[in-house]
Amino acid sequence: MEHIKGLKENSDLAFRDVYTRYHAQIYGLVFSRTKSAYISEEVTQLTFIKLWKQREILRENLPLNVQIFGMARQVMIDIIRKEATRFKHEGLTANTPFTDCLIESIERKDLLRLLANDIENMPKMRRTVFELSRNEGLTHKEIAKVFSISPKTVEHHIGKALVQLKQHLYSIML
């Protein structure tokens, strides 16, 4: 109950303690139900935002874990409904069940997040060359000119980046 009092008094320390205590539990609960890292991260983040915004109306006679997991459940339902509505507006084919489309989209977001993380963790030069090639559409010659390196070196960096991404994709598909 002391955390509730601290939260109501705008204590950053109380909030950090609650965050540390419940973050992994909320993420794990949502992940066990959705099997989606994307939704789990979104729900966890939005739950703590909601907790902070509603800190003044927390009930002191109800354990904090009951209140925070209730918020997480509601946030999870809201996100899934939002995703479902978005899919309806994007239009589904008559042969594709709605839930299959929703699951595919969630998996696609998870995959894109993993790829973005892999690219972010590449060595700086490899990442920069790869991003200039793929995101900016520069040719090998143009990239080589920017960094005063040979086009073969650019090709080498891009090849290494693609191998790294393919290896990680292969390992998660198993």
Side-chain angles (χ1 to χ4, degrees), residues 117-168:
N117 191 41
D118 280 352
I119 292 168
E120 189 64 34
N121 290 324
M122 287 179 184
K124 186 174 172 55
M125 184 64 154
R126 184 183 304 166
R127 180 181 70 233
T128 305
V129 167
F130 183 78
E131 288 175 338
L132 287 173
S133 170
R134 296 308 191 257
N135 298 345
E136 304 299 322
L138 271 63
T139 65
H140 291 193
K141 284 183 180 179
E142 292 169 327
I143 297 169
K145 197 176 221 179
V146 168
F147 293 109
S148 300
I149 57 177
S150 74
K152 269 292 195 204
T153 303
V154 171
E155 187 176 317
H156 176 76
H157 280 298
I158 292 172
K160 286 276 202 182
L162 290 173
V163 166
Q164 182 179 340
L165 292 173
K166 286 177 186 175
Q167 285 174 341
H168 189 232

Side-chain angles (χ1 to χ4, degrees), residues 1-24 26 43-56 58 64 68 71:
M1 301 301 169
E2 70 184 59
H3 285 110
I4 294 173
K5 186 178 179 189
L7 289 169
K8 285 185 169 195
E9 293 172 353
N10 301 328
S11 168
D12 289 339
L13 184 61
F15 182 79
R16 276 184 271 158
D17 190 36
V18 170
Y19 181 87
T20 302
R21 180 175 293 179
Y22 293 109
H23 182 273
I26 292 170
V43 168
T44 303
Q45 205 169 40
L46 292 172
T47 297
F48 284 103
I49 291 170
K50 186 173 185 173
L51 174 67
W52 185 252
K53 286 182 177 178
Q54 295 185 355
R55 66 191 179 278
E56 294 172 1
L58 290 173
L64 181 60
I68 198 166
M71 288 178 191

